[in-house]
């Protein structure tokens, strides 16, 4: 189970037979000390008729260093904890981004699932407070970090995990006509024996953070250097890989794979809004990067 808890304290359907190869996407690497110079326009997008608000930082075109996103989450959790202690309204937050290549491990995960010497790792390795075993984050993978006040929804960790899975299942079905499912006893989203989305969370005083990672156009080779999520007998897959498999003998529908990240990000935010009954308010990058100053 990928949980580490401390409870005391219709998007258009995607053409399913693309035939052109993936083209490099334009991505910016944004170290924390440089981000504050970037300007962003703050605007509100109507995503759901519900009256509960969720601020959204849509950074899906960016390659964000893992430590920066981790710091952002911890500061936001601290802010929300303060609001709750003062009996003030505590809305939800959503961050969507891509990471520079990195391996992350849960608080109790084992180095036996690393197929390399941790002193000579191919990428940075972080042990975090989330639950679960080792996983990989990198370009082409959309990582979604909801910082959710479960008091606004349902104070049930298993319910929350299933709802995160539901978001991804809906994205794959409505946008790509891919039928995904859960596997009993395992956390995440699967298509056959391929795991497309990994989920790992931390919950403290009923505020959940960390979240899910969905492989879109991800280079899957770095997963070969670990045992993803500690599961040895199953594969890791991607949306791009499944679309290529389904169209291996087809010649219709030309599509540029570089659009996959944009399409998937929009669908993730929309389905997140629907599943959690939230009205999404887009926030600027500048608004977010001011938060770590209080660390």
């Amino acid at each position: 189970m990928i949980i580490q808890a401390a409870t005391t304290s219709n998007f258009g359907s995607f053409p399913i037979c693309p035939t052109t190869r993936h083209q490099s996407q334009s991505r910016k690497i944004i170290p924390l000390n440089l981000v504050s110079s970037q300007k962003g326009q703050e605007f509100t997008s109507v995503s759901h008729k519900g009256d509960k608000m969720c601020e959204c930082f849509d950074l899906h075109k960016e390659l964000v260093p893992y430590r920066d996103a981790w710091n952002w989450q911890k500061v936001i959790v601290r802010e929300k904890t303060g609001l709750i202690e003062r009996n003030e309204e505590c809305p939800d937050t959503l961050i969507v981004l891509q990471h520079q290549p990195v391996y992350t491990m849960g608080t109790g995960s084992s180095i036996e699932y690393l197929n390399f010497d941790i002193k000579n790792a191919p990428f940075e390795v972080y042990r975090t407070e989330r639950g679960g075993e080792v996983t990989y984050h990198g370009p082409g993978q959309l990582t979604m970090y909801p910082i959710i006040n479960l008091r606004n929804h349902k104070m049930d960790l298993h319910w929350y995990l299933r709802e995160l899975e539901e978001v991804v299942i809906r994205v794959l079905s409505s946008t790509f006509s891919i039928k995904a499912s859960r596997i009993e006893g395992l956390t995440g989203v699967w298509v056959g024996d391929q795991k497309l989305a990994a989920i790992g969370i931390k919950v403290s005083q009923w505020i959940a953070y960390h979240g899910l990672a969905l492989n879109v156009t991800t280079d899957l080779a770095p997963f070969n250097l670990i045992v993803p999520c500690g599961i040895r007998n199953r594969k890791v897959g991607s949306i791009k890989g499944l679309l290529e498999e389904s169209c291996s003998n087809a010649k219709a529908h030309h599509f540029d794979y570089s659009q996959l990240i944009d399409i998937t990000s929009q669908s993730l935010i929309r389905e997140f809004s629907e599943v959690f009954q939230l009205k999404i308010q887009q926030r600027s990058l500048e608004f977010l990067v001011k938060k770590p100053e209080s660390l």
Side-chain angles (χ1 to χ4, degrees), residues 2-291:
I2 308 184
I3 305 176
Q4 178 64 26
T7 55
T8 58
S9 34
N10 265 309
F11 195 85
S13 183
F14 182 82
I16 62 170
C17 292
T19 57
T20 56
R21 302 297 297 172
H22 174 59
Q23 300 178 4
S24 297
Q25 299 176 60
S26 174
R27 303 187 184 97
K28 292 179 289 184
I29 297 176
I30 49 171
L32 184 60
N33 62 346
L34 296 181
V35 174
S36 59
S37 65
Q38 300 185 37
K39 301 296 182 180
Q41 182 179 6
E42 194 168 316
F43 62 98
T44 301
S45 64
V46 178
S47 297
H48 193 272
K49 62 185 179 181
D51 57 2
K52 290 185 293 184
M53 190 68 68
C54 176
E55 60 176 359
C56 176
F57 299 95
D58 183 2
L59 311 180
H60 77 273
K61 292 182 181 294
E62 317 294 349
L63 283 182
V64 178
Y66 185 81
R67 182 176 292 277
D68 294 356
W70 192 11
N71 284 340
W72 292 340
Q73 292 181 78
K74 288 186 285 187
V75 170
I76 293 169
V77 168
R78 189 179 307 161
E79 290 176 348
K80 293 186 186 305
T81 300
L83 290 172
I84 291 171
E85 290 174 351
R86 296 190 299 271
N87 292 317
E88 296 179 21
E89 185 178 356
C90 179
D92 297 323
T93 302
L94 178 66
I95 305 172
V96 181
L97 49 75
Q98 299 178 66
H99 279 305
Q100 296 177 24
V102 64
Y103 292 113
T104 68
M105 304 174 69
T107 185
S109 59
S110 173
I111 61 172
E112 72 177 84
Y113 296 124
L114 306 180
N115 298 328
F116 55 81
D117 182 352
I118 197 168
K119 296 179 181 178
N120 190 30
F123 308 117
E124 288 187 307
V125 179
Y126 287 93
R127 185 180 292 277
T128 77
E129 67 272 81
R130 68 163 173 82
E133 293 293 342
V134 63
T135 193
Y136 166 76
H137 299 299
Q141 179 193 79
L142 285 172
T143 303
M144 189 169 80
Y145 293 121
I147 301 96
I148 294 291
N149 177 14
L150 290 175
R151 294 174 179 81
N152 293 338
H153 301 276
K154 189 173 182 179
M155 295 164 67
D156 183 324
L157 306 188
H158 295 284
W159 170 86
Y160 181 55
L161 289 170
R162 302 293 82 79
E163 293 299 274
L164 290 178
E165 291 167 346
E166 181 67 19
V167 170
V168 177
I169 289 170
R170 289 188 182 197
V171 167
L172 295 173
S173 175
S174 66
T175 305
F176 302 106
S177 299
I178 293 173
K179 185 177 181 180
S181 63
R182 302 173 178 86
I183 292 180
E184 186 175 356
L186 299 175
T187 300
V189 176
W190 308 76
V191 178
D193 67 346
Q194 298 184 48
K195 188 172 188 176
L196 266 68
I199 298 174
I201 65 170
K202 164 76 175 181
V203 180
S204 177
Q205 299 183 50
W206 293 111
I207 298 175
Y209 60 113
H210 291 283
L212 68 85
L214 173 60
N215 296 323
V216 184
T217 62
T218 322
D219 176 7
L220 301 180
F223 285 102
N224 295 330
L225 298 179
I226 60 174
V227 180
C229 302
I231 304 172
R232 296 186 182 276
N233 59 347
R234 296 184 185 272
K235 302 175 183 177
V236 174
S238 69
I239 293 174
K240 178 175 178 283
L242 289 174
L243 294 174
E244 288 179 333
E245 288 176 13
S246 69
C247 304
S248 58
N249 298 316
K251 296 183 178 179
H253 294 98
H254 295 270
F255 194 85
D256 180 358
Y257 279 116
S258 67
Q259 297 180 40
L260 269 176
I261 288 289
D262 293 337
I263 290 169
T264 308
S265 175
Q266 292 177 53
S267 185
L268 270 172
I269 293 171
R270 183 179 75 90
E271 297 298 346
F272 177 83
S273 168
E274 291 289 334
V275 168
F276 287 94
Q277 299 286 286
L278 291 167
K279 183 176 181 180
I280 300 297
Q281 182 179 48
Q282 295 284 353
R283 293 281 195 169
S284 69
L285 186 61
E286 186 179 33
F287 185 90
L288 174 61
V289 299
K290 290 179 180 178
K291 293 180 181 293

